[in-house]
Structures are given as structure tokens and as C-alpha cells.
């Protein structure tokens, strides 16, 4: 399951590449996976 989790992380990061509001990005990440 860790591999699929990493794949989701990579896809999510690729989607938000260039995002300047990193705090919001991390907030969304924790909201989705926590």
C-alpha cells in the first residue's frame, strides 16, 4: 500500500507543480490522506 501511496503523492505533486502556497498544499495533502 506504501507504493500506491507514493504514487498518489507523486501524482498530486505533479498536479500542483509550481504552486507557491506550500502551506496550503501541505494542508490539502493532510486533509486528503489523514
Amino acid at each position: 500500500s506504501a507504493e500506491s501511496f507514493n504514487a498518489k503523492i507523486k501524482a498530486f505533486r505533479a498536479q500542483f507543480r509550481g504552486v507557491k502556497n506550500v502551506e496550503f498544499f501541505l494542508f490539502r495533502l493532510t486533509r486528503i490522506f489523514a
Side-chain angles (χ1 to χ4, degrees):
S1 73
E3 291 181 359
S4 63
F5 179 78
N6 286 336
K8 289 181 181 180
I9 297 293
K10 287 182 181 180
F12 198 73
R13 288 181 59 186
Q15 185 179 358
F16 282 86
R17 183 162 298 176
V19 167
K20 297 187 184 298
N21 193 345
V22 179
E23 291 184 0
F24 178 73
F25 167 78
L26 293 176
F27 171 76
R28 284 288 305 273
L29 198 65
T30 55
R31 291 288 292 184
I32 290 171
F33 293 110

